[in-house]
Every structure is written in structure tokens, then in C-alpha cells.
Amino acid sequence: MSLSLIAKDLVHSYGARVVLDGVNLTASAGQRLGLVGENGVGKSTLLRLLAGVEEPQGGEVLRGDDLGFLLQELPFPFTARFSDVIDDALAEIRRASARLDELTATLARHPDDAAVLDEYGTVLEWAQAHDLWDADRRAEVVCAGLGLAGIDPARELGTLSGGQRSRLGLAALLIRRPGTLVLDEPTNHLDDAAMEFLEQHLASLTGVLVLSSHDRVFLDAVCTDIVDLDPALGGPTRYGGTYSDYLDQKRAERARWEQRYAEEQDELKELRESVAVTARNVAHNRPQRDNAKMLYDFKTGRVQKQISRRVRNAQLRLDELERDQVRKPPAPLRFQGDLTGEPGEGKTAISVRDIEIAGRLRLATLDVTTTSRLLITGGNGAGKSTLLSVLAGSLTPDSGTVLSGRGVRIGLLAQDVVFAEPEKTAQRTYAEALGEDAPPLRGLGLLAPRDLGTRVGALSVGQRRRLALALLIADPPEVLLLDEPTNHISLTLAEELFTALDSAPGAVVIASHDRWLRRGWAGDHLRLEAGRVAV
């Protein structure tokens, strides 16, 4: 069974905004490609085109029929049961099993039937590729690995959390085991154990895998190649190896691009000067000797030919270089803002005592000072987002008290960002929310200049989160609460945000699954389990 996924010269735009222009990509069996790049460069768009969810406006995608794509929401009504999704994932495998039994029985009666033999071979090859005989056990292992083992099979989907439905959709794909998998941010809503399971499972697949992820540890563990969609000398660039390997190669490539551009600009300057001045300065000011008059006309003609040749050669090289010169490396988007405002010294910003939200959170005590650095971790449903909402004052507990310091402003970057007027541009949304005295949006380094005039509804999820963060830090609060800040934002921005933590004068509280972040965390750590502080 031949497996490959090929994209040729893909072009796609949304309105006047070109997202992909001439993108090529090839993936063969055993290759696991990770897409990286700034928000808005087209990672999700490319994945949808590869999967056939959208059709390109130019170019083509060559794919087999056996492809699975991780949808944002399950294609089932909320009244469907958990078991319906699992049964649907196993349906094709069960049909193949039944057909093999039928063909085996037919061959027992007609062992020389060529048509039956051919079909038997085709179905058997498919069955082996999809590990048919282990499918039921695989369903149990996958559900357990993704934290779904304890869910009643008869439970309706509408009673599951968004994270549980997301994991169930991923489980269905892994159970189905298609020859080509296309995954957009598959680690969202996964805790550590589930991510480690997913890493091991994907790394063992023999088919084609193309994915995007904000999780750097995950990219390191799974990918055999990294495809960077950010602007580069030759367009989107493919790097062999892990994400860590890619970082080293990317830095070296950027340095080569900058050096080549600088060298060409120097040569262009010299050529323009040569065409305008230098090539004509051949023996022009040399004094004429008395005995040289007879040779003057001859030599003048020869000099003029020499001048013409030099001018012509310089002009040809200038024309060639101006036509084919390396474009200037675009300035990378750099985070320029302050994450927090300047707090008062030694001041309690938020004080929590004996709070409870039935079935979601119970916490005896928590004090956040104006200089706190607190990381909140825990599995899905542990209460991390609930606690941040309580600290932000957007959720009132059933009992207990939450007090904030006088004059302390608190800002929350939620996981799900929704703007009330998606037809407005990013620039207008920012200006209307903050007024004329706000610092320029482009100066914060969160949105590229080309995206400032884009409708909010047309921005990527990551770009909308960047805009929401810009609205928070334009007048930075003394306490900044970040809920899964690395979800849906570029890996580069994630690095810069956490570098900015070192110089932020106020308090920062982060709820995160990000293992890369946790490895280097030097502040306080609060772990929740089932809504309570884990000992």
C-alpha cells in the first residue's frame, strides 16, 4: 500500500489577503512533519488544504482516500453517546473483518478464483496496515491513554466538557488508524500523561503524519522533519530532525540570509557608482604629451571602447543583480511591551480564603503579592481555569472570600478569546477600546503591520489571542493572569513572553500544561487535582 501526501504550488487567500503562495510539500510513509511559523502564516490553512477540508485556489493536493483530519468539534449531535463515536471509529475495520471472513469462505469453495484472490489480497493488506486484529484492544488502550477510560459509554456528548470531546475526537482518529494523519494542535486539552501517550503512539505509526503544535517537547519527541512557513530565502523551508535541531539550523540560515543580503547591497552600491562615475574615469585627466598628438585620435578611440565595455559590463551585472537580488530579511516580530505595571512594594495583591465552587474548586488559602510568580498546573478539569477566573473577579465562589488590594488592577488572558464585533479591524478594535492615548498597537510587537487592518474575525486564533494580550498590556495591570498562554501562539512569541517575565515588575500567575515552560520555571508552583491543592 503506497502512502504519500503531495502538495504542489498551493495558493490560497481570504479576501485580499494571500495566506499561501506557491507552497510545495511532500510527505511519505514513516515521515512525521511538524509545521511551525508565526500566527497567520497559514499553518491551519495548509493543514485544511492537505486534508481536503478546503480546496486551494491554485495548485493541487495529491492524497489517498485513507486520510484522517482532527476536526475542532465532533461531527455528531450532542445527543449521541460516547460509544457511538467509538463504534463509528471501528466501523470500517469491522466491515473489513467481515469481508475477510466472507472472502475466506469463498476461497475455500473456489480456491482458483482470480478475482476473489485479488480482492482478498487487497483487503488483507488494508487489514494489516490498520492492525485490524488489535483494533478492539487498541480502542481501550487509546481511551485510557487519553484520559477517557472512566467515561460511561452511554453518556451523551452534550454532557462532556469541551476538552473531553476534543480528546474523544483524537481518540477516534487513533483508533481508526488511517494511513495519513493531519492534526492541528492535537495537544490542546491534554495533560502530561496523555501527551506522553500521544507522543509514543504517533512516533510508532508507519504512515504519513503532518501536524502543527505549540508544544516544543511534543515536536521534539514526534517529528522527523520541521517545515517552517515563516518568510525565508527560498520560501517555506524544510529541516530534517527534531524541533531542537530546527532551532539551530534556523539561526544559521537566518545569519546566512542576512550576510548574503548585506553583501549584495554592497555590490549594488559599487555597481551603481561604477556605471555612473568610475567606468568613465579612464585616462580622462591624463595630460597630453606633445609627441603624442599623432596617436591621440587612435588612443582616444581605444579608451572610448574600453569605457564602453566597462560601462556595459557593469550595467549588465547591475541589471542582473537588481532583477535577482535577495530580498531584505523581514524584521522578525519582537515582543516590545511590559507585561505588568509597577506595583507598590510588599503589597498583597489578591488574598483568597476558604473558597469553594461546588464540584469544581476548593481552596483554603492563597496569597498573591504584587511581585509573585506563580505557576498553576494540573490535569484537565483540575480547576486551573476556574481558579484564574476567581482571582480575576469574573467568577464568584459559592463560599469564602477573595479580596484584592486597593488600587490593584488585574488582567486575565483567557483561553477562548471572543470579540463582540468581528467585522472591525484589529487596529480599530484596539483604538476604540483604549482611546487615542494608548501606545501604538504595532509598537507592542504582537501583530505584524500587515495584520493591523485585518478584520478580527479573519485573524487566526493565535492572532486574536495576541490582540487580546495587547489590550491587556497597553496599560499593563499590576497582576497579569495567563490561562494556557502558549496555546495557539507562535513558539517564538512564547519564548519572548517568558523572557519578558524576568523584567516584569508586577505579579504574574500562569496556568499551563507547557512542559518546556515548566522545565525552566523558577517561581512558586501550585498543583491542583480535582479542584484541590495536591500535596
Side-chain angles (χ1 to χ4, degrees), residues 366 373-378 510 512 518 521-528 533-534:
L366 176 65
R373 294 289 185 275
L374 176 62
L375 176 64
I376 304 172
T377 63
I510 300 174
S512 180
R518 298 205 312 265
W521 185 256
D524 295 327
H525 185 188
L526 175 68
R527 177 169 177 78
L528 296 177
V533 176

Side-chain angles (χ1 to χ4, degrees), residues 249-497:
Q249 297 176 63
K250 175 75 170 178
R251 281 190 288 267
E253 181 198 65
R254 174 79 185 197
R256 288 193 297 270
W257 186 2
E258 291 174 346
Q259 180 180 359
R260 182 175 168 187
Y261 174 78
E263 290 172 349
E264 285 194 357
Q265 292 306 303
D266 288 342
E267 185 179 358
L268 281 167
K269 182 179 178 181
E270 292 175 2
L271 286 169
R272 289 175 182 131
E273 183 178 351
S274 179
V275 168
V277 180
T278 308
R280 292 178 172 81
N281 288 340
V282 181
H284 268 238
N285 300 318
R286 186 182 304 162
Q288 186 181 147
R289 299 190 305 270
D290 291 342
N291 62 356
K293 188 168 189 327
M294 293 181 61
L295 296 175
Y296 181 75
D297 290 339
F298 170 74
K299 286 187 175 181
T300 298
R302 188 175 63 185
V303 167
Q304 291 304 320
K305 289 180 180 179
Q306 187 178 11
I307 293 172
S308 296
R309 185 169 62 252
R310 289 193 180 189
V311 171
R312 184 171 59 253
N313 289 343
Q315 186 65 58
L316 286 173
R317 174 58 180 156
L318 178 60
D319 291 343
E320 177 188 16
L321 197 55
E322 286 182 334
R323 183 181 64 248
D324 301 328
Q325 66 177 298
V326 172
R327 66 189 179 93
K328 184 178 181 179
L333 203 57
R334 296 293 186 206
F335 176 65
Q336 303 291 336
D338 294 322
L339 286 176
T340 68
E342 191 73 42
E345 295 184 8
K347 189 176 181 181
T348 298
I350 307 173
S351 179
V352 173
R353 293 293 183 270
D354 299 317
I355 64 167
E356 182 173 1
I357 297 177
R360 296 167 64 185
L361 181 67
R362 177 181 290 180
L363 184 62
T365 180
L366 176 65
D367 289 317
V368 178
T369 71
T370 49
T371 57
S372 287
R373 294 289 185 275
L374 176 62
L375 176 64
I376 304 172
T377 63
N380 291 303
K384 303 187 300 298
S385 295
T386 299
L387 177 54
L388 287 188
S389 296
V390 169
L391 296 179
S394 57
L395 179 61
T396 302
D398 299 331
S399 60
T401 60
V402 181
L403 301 176
S404 59
R406 184 183 299 275
V408 172
R409 292 180 301 116
I410 303 168
L412 169 64
L413 179 65
Q415 283 196 59
D416 299 317
V417 176
V418 178
F419 289 95
E421 299 179 276
E423 293 304 312
K424 291 184 177 180
T425 66
Q427 181 65 61
R428 185 177 175 190
T429 300
Y430 178 85
E432 289 185 358
L434 298 171
E436 296 180 357
D437 295 333
L441 175 56
R442 66 185 302 162
L444 295 176
L446 288 167
L447 284 177
R450 66 177 182 275
D451 297 320
L452 301 183
T454 301
R455 291 184 303 102
V456 169
L459 294 174
S460 70
V461 176
Q463 288 171 318
R464 290 197 295 273
R465 291 202 88 195
R466 284 175 179 252
L467 179 57
L469 181 59
L471 291 169
L472 283 176
I473 67 171
D475 183 14
E478 286 75 37
V479 180
L480 181 62
L481 311 175
L482 302 172
D483 195 356
E484 297 292 355
T486 57
N487 279 8
H488 300 295
I489 68 170
S490 70
L491 301 175
T492 301
L493 178 61
E495 297 280 1
E496 292 176 354
L497 283 178

